[in-house]
């Protein structure tokens, strides 16, 4: 059964732990044994030698000093309590007997030799014991030294083997895996790792080999498909009428289709992989394409005529990171031509309609005149209906003519210094009758001493009239409209606020678009061009126009024009 890497590590570390523990226990055992042997020599034998020496000294002084007998007696008593060797007890008892006899007659020295002989015997027995125990301690020390050397050598060999082999066990598979990963990163999918190990590293090597094999299969199985798709995409791009230019993340050119080559006057093979900004130094069209401008429409001389192209820049992303760009130039020349034809048609029709509509309106006015004859109520209503329809048609044709002027670029402006109060008053007078019919009050809030503005008086007044007309149309009867004119830094602001139902915030960005009508309004007679034309008129005078509104609170339409010095 294969041993796992974890099991190998646990086994090796456990073995080292057991060896170290055994070494420590054996060392402690022998140290304690030597300590005990030393204590026995010191306590048992050395003390007996001290007692014997004290008794010999006291024996010489017994006749002369009474304290010498007491000293002898005390040491003899201690000796009697420290009998440890064979024969030491008989010698001690013999010593006690002779000492008692001496005490009975201290002046009689006849038993001194027996006392000295007994003391000498005790002394000899303890000295022999010391030599014997010293030999035992020496033998114990030699055994301890031998075993500790053996264990130390074994432990050292095992540790050395572990230190030499263990890093190799870990580093060799890691090194092989590192080499394999680098090879895969360099797309060398034929790389394999061969480890004859049945542990975790062996499993990791097998998994790596399996991954490399799958990648190798994937690379080879998809290479032909990728080449085919590349050729197919290149064919599609080259067949498109739009000019397409591909850039990588660093701004180098990746590809151009045939249309782009014709427009740029360059060949793909000459500029591919080159930095686009370097090409732009010598190519005006490339320079315009690389500029980050909001202007998307370009006029380019192509197909032997001035052509119009719409520029779109598409970002190529990878995990939300931009890795390249694709510039697309769509040929919108046919749409320009159709739009110009449409504009000319509308201008012609609108101009031609104004004359008969004016004639109808004049004829209706003559019919109402009592000098021609009296009309009954029904006839009077019919003529009024004809007059209203004629007015509506005249307004529509006027707006269409204004729009055609804007589209064709024929908008004529008469810019001059004008008094903001006069422009405002002119517009109010034009809509005063309409306001009176709905009993609507127009409140003026005009700042005093306003600086003049550089404006086309007629067209600016037309914008205010358009604001006021819309405000009257969408206000309820007997309400109020406020027109305010005030200075804001270097501009003069004109605003018209009503108390109507208001406009949903989501429709405000589109309110100045052509033909746009707020959903839900009941008004059907308008063209949806009035606010769009107002925007064109104001912006043509370098002004700014905007609107704010809240549902249920009314709307406010504003524009600003540059102030001039008086």
């Amino acid at each position: 059964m294969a041993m796992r890497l974890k099991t190998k590590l646990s086994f090796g570390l456990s073995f080292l732990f057991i060896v170290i523990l055994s070494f420590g226990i054996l060392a402690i055992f022998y140290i304690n044994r030597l300590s005990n042997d030393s204590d026995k020599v010191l306590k048992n034998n050395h003390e007996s030698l001290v007692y014997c020496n004290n008794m010999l000294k006291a024996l010489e002084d017994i006749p002369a000093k009474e304290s010498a007998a007491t000293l002898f007696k005390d040491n003899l008593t201690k000796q009697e309590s420290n009998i440890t060797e064979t024969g030491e007890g008989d010698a001690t008892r013999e010593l006690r007997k002779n000492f008692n006899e001496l005490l009975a007659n201290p002046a009689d020295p006849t038993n001194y030799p027996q006392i000295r002989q007994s003391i000498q015997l005790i002394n000899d027995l303890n000295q022999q014991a010391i030599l014997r125990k010293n030999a035992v301690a020496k033998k114990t020390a030699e055994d301890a030294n031998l075993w500790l050397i053996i264990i130390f050598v074994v432990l050292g060999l095992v540790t050395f083997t572990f230190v030499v082999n263990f890093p190799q066990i870990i580093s060799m598979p890691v090194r092989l895996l590192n080499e394999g990963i680098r090879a895969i990163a360099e797309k060398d999918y034929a790389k394999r790792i061969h480890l004859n190990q049945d542990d975790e590293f062996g499993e990791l090597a097998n998994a790596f080999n399996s991954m490399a094999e799958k990648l190798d299969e994937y690379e080879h199985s998809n290479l032909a498909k990728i080449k085919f798709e590349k050729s197919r995409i290149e064919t599609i791009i080259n067949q498109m009428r739009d000019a397409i230019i591909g850039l990588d993340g660093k701004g180098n050119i990746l590809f151009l289709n045939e249309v782009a080559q014709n427009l740029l006057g360059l060949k793909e093979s000459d500029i591919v992989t080159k930095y686009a900004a370097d090409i732009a130094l010598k190519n005006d069209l490339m320079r315009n394409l690389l500029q980050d401008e909001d202007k998307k429409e370009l006029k380019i001389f192509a197909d032997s005529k001035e052509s119009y192209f719409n520029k779109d820049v598409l970002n190529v992303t990878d995990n939300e990171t931009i890795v390249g760009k694709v510039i697309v130039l769509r040929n919108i020349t046919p749409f320009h031509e159709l739009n110009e034809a449409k504009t000319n048609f509308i201008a012609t029709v609108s101009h031609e309609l104004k004359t008969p509509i004016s004639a109808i309106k004049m004829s209706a006015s003559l019919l109402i005149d009592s000098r021609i004859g009296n009309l009954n109520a029904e006839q009077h209503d019919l003529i009024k209906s004809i007059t209203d329809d004629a007015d509506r048609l005249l307004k529509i044709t006027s707006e269409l003519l204004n729009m055609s002027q804007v589209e064709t670029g024929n908008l004529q402006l008469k810019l001059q210094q004008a008094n903001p109060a006069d422009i405002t008053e002119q517009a109010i007078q034009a809509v005063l009758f309409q306001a009176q019919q709905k009993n609507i009050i127009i409140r003026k809030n005009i700042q005093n001493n306003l600086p003049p503005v550089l404006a086309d008086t007629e067209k600016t007044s037309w914008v205010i009239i358009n604001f006021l007309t819309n405000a009257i149309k969408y206000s309820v009867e007997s309400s109020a409209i406020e027109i305010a004119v005030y200075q804001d830094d270097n501009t003069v602001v004109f605003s018209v606020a009503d108390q109507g139902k208001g406009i949903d915030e989501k429709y405000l960005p589109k309110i100045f678009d052509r033909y746009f009508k707020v959903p839900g309004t009941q008004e059907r007679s308008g063209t949806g061009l009035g606010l769009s034309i107002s925007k064109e008129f104001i912006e043509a005078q370098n002004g700014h126009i905007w609107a704010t509104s809240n549902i249920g609170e009314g709307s406010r339409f504003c524009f600003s024009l540059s102030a001039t010095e008086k």
Side-chain angles (χ1 to χ4, degrees):
M1 183 178 178
M3 186 179 293
R4 309 290 292 175
L5 179 63
K6 181 179 179 182
T7 305
K8 291 179 182 179
L9 293 174
S10 300
F11 178 78
L13 294 175
S14 299
F15 177 75
L16 288 177
F17 175 75
I18 292 171
V19 172
I20 294 171
L21 183 63
S22 301
F23 183 80
I25 293 173
L26 188 61
I28 293 171
F29 170 75
Y30 279 109
I31 289 172
N32 288 332
R33 186 173 175 183
L34 288 172
S35 178
N36 291 334
D37 291 344
S38 177
D39 289 342
K40 288 180 180 179
V41 171
L42 180 63
K43 182 177 180 181
N44 299 334
N45 303 114
H46 178 71
E47 290 180 355
S48 293
L49 292 177
V50 173
Y51 299 152
C52 290
N53 289 332
N54 290 337
M55 286 188 287
L56 286 173
K57 291 178 182 179
L59 182 63
E60 299 297 331
D61 297 332
I62 286 177
K65 296 180 181 179
E66 293 182 1
S67 60
T70 302
L71 178 61
F72 190 100
K73 182 180 179 181
D74 291 340
N75 281 275
L76 179 57
T77 302
K78 293 178 180 179
Q79 172 57 30
E80 290 174 339
S81 301
N82 194 36
I83 296 172
T84 58
E85 307 301 327
T86 304
E88 188 178 0
D90 294 338
T92 301
R93 284 190 292 273
E94 182 66 23
L95 179 60
R96 168 61 72 178
K97 176 184 176 184
N98 291 326
F99 178 68
N100 290 336
E101 290 177 357
L102 178 62
L103 288 179
N105 188 8
D108 184 8
T110 55
N111 60 348
Y112 273 34
Q114 289 82 1
I115 293 174
R116 288 192 180 92
Q117 185 178 359
S118 297
I119 292 173
Q120 187 61 43
L121 180 58
I122 295 171
N123 198 11
D124 292 341
L125 290 172
N126 281 282
Q127 286 182 354
Q128 293 173 2
I130 289 174
L131 292 175
R132 186 178 67 253
K133 291 179 179 178
N134 181 59
V136 172
K138 185 176 181 181
K139 181 66 170 58
T140 302
E142 290 175 352
D143 293 342
N145 188 43
L146 176 62
W147 282 107
L148 290 175
I149 289 174
I150 292 172
I151 294 176
F152 177 76
V153 171
V154 173
L155 179 61
L157 291 174
V158 172
T159 304
F160 178 77
T161 303
F162 187 80
V163 169
V164 170
N165 294 326
F166 182 74
Q168 183 69 10
I169 292 173
I170 300 298
S171 64
M172 190 268 290
V174 171
R175 178 176 55 80
L176 292 177
L177 286 169
N178 185 38
E179 292 175 357
I181 291 171
R182 287 186 177 180
I184 293 296
E186 294 173 359
K187 295 187 177 182
D188 181 11
Y189 300 133
K191 179 69 175 178
R192 298 291 184 272
I193 297 176
H194 302 287
L195 286 178
N196 296 323
Q197 296 179 213
D198 294 329
D199 53 16
E200 288 84 350
F201 282 122
E203 292 178 355
L204 186 58
N206 292 334
F208 176 87
N209 293 337
S210 178
M211 177 194 69
E213 183 178 356
K214 295 293 184 184
L215 287 173
D216 194 30
E217 292 177 0
Y218 180 81
E219 178 75 7
H220 287 86
S221 64
N222 285 277
L223 185 59
K225 184 178 179 180
I226 291 172
K227 289 182 177 179
F228 172 75
E229 289 296 328
K230 181 176 181 293
S231 300
R232 187 170 69 89
I233 292 173
E234 288 178 348
T235 303
I236 294 173
I237 290 175
N238 286 325
Q239 292 299 318
M240 294 179 67
R241 294 186 59 191
D242 299 331
I244 301 176
I245 304 171
L247 307 175
D248 63 14
K250 297 180 180 178
N252 299 318
I253 296 176
L254 294 177
F255 61 85
L256 293 85
N257 68 348
E258 293 181 3
V259 178
Q261 293 180 58
N262 293 332
L263 289 178
L264 292 170
L266 300 169
K267 291 184 178 180
E268 182 183 35
S269 57
D270 295 336
I271 64 172
V272 123
T273 72
K274 291 185 178 180
Y275 188 42
D278 293 339
I279 305 299
L281 294 175
K282 299 180 180 180
N283 191 288
D284 293 337
L285 179 56
M286 179 65 78
R287 183 164 57 253
N288 289 332
L289 295 179
L290 295 180
Q291 291 176 350
D292 294 330
E293 296 181 353
D294 293 335
K295 184 179 179 181
K296 291 186 176 182
E297 190 172 297
L298 299 174
K299 184 188 293 185
I300 304 171
F301 188 82
D303 298 329
S304 302
K305 63 179 180 179
E306 286 189 347
S307 301
Y308 296 88
F309 290 84
N310 189 33
K311 182 183 80 170
D312 284 329
V313 180
L314 309 175
N315 290 326
V316 181
T317 60
D318 182 15
N319 293 330
E320 299 182 357
T321 301
I322 298 177
V323 296
K325 291 182 179 179
V326 175
I327 301 175
V328 180
L329 286 177
R330 294 187 175 89
N331 193 341
I332 57 173
T333 305
F335 300 102
H336 262 267
E337 294 172 349
L338 289 174
N339 188 59
E340 185 177 353
K342 179 264 297 180
T343 302
N344 292 333
F345 175 76
I346 291 175
T348 302
V349 171
S350 299
H351 186 270
E352 293 298 326
L353 285 176
K354 285 189 71 175
T355 300
I357 293 172
S358 298
I360 292 171
K361 186 177 179 182
M362 183 178 296
S363 298
S365 299
L366 291 173
L367 288 174
I368 296 176
D369 193 340
S370 58
R371 290 175 296 179
I372 296 177
N374 295 323
L375 302 175
N376 57 35
E378 185 177 353
Q379 291 171 333
H380 195 278
D381 291 340
L382 287 173
I383 293 174
K384 184 177 183 302
S385 177
I386 292 172
T387 303
D388 292 342
D389 289 341
D391 288 337
R392 186 171 69 255
L393 286 173
L394 275 176
K395 180 180 179 182
I396 291 173
T397 53
S398 296
E399 289 181 350
L400 289 174
L401 279 173
N402 286 330
M403 183 56 65
S404 64
Q405 289 179 0
V406 170
E407 290 181 345
T408 56
N410 295 325
L411 184 62
Q412 301 295 323
L413 293 176
K414 296 179 182 179
L415 296 177
Q416 57 186 359
Q417 283 192 350
N419 188 336
D422 293 343
I423 297 174
T424 306
E425 189 63 35
Q426 179 181 343
I428 293 173
Q429 293 301 321
V431 300
L432 195 59
F433 178 73
Q434 293 178 353
Q436 291 174 350
Q437 287 183 322
K438 294 185 68 173
N439 197 26
I440 292 175
I441 300 174
I442 298 178
R443 296 173 181 167
K444 295 183 291 185
N445 184 10
I446 302 175
Q447 181 179 327
N448 295 326
N449 298 321
L450 284 172
V453 293
L454 188 64
D456 184 312
T457 304
E458 181 181 348
K459 289 181 172 55
T460 304
S461 178
W462 187 94
V463 174
I464 299 175
I465 291 170
N466 186 63
F467 284 179
L468 288 170
T469 302
N470 289 339
I472 294 170
K473 184 187 301 182
Y474 296 109
S475 293
V476 297
E477 292 188 4
S478 302
S479 60
I481 295 173
E482 180 183 11
I483 179 167
V485 185
Y486 57 92
Q487 185 175 2
D488 183 16
D489 293 333
N490 295 324
T491 64
V492 175
V493 178
F494 299 78
S495 75
V496 175
D498 61 50
Q499 298 175 354
K501 63 179 182 179
I503 303 171
D504 196 323
E505 185 178 359
K506 65 183 179 181
Y507 298 124
L508 288 178
K510 300 180 179 180
I511 200 72
F512 293 101
D513 292 349
R514 295 179 188 177
Y515 308 111
F516 178 79
K517 293 183 180 181
V518 177
T521 57
Q522 301 299 321
E523 178 62 35
R524 296 184 179 181
S525 60
T527 61
L529 292 173
L531 291 178
S532 176
I533 295 172
S534 299
K535 181 174 182 290
E536 297 288 347
F537 282 174
I538 296 301
E539 290 183 349
Q541 300 176 74
N542 297 320
H544 177 60
I545 190 168
W546 70 94
T548 60
S549 183
N550 290 311
I551 295 295
E553 298 179 7
S555 304
R556 181 183 297 273
F557 286 82
C558 312
F559 67 87
S560 61
L561 296 174
S562 298
T564 61
E565 296 182 359
K566 295 183 179 180

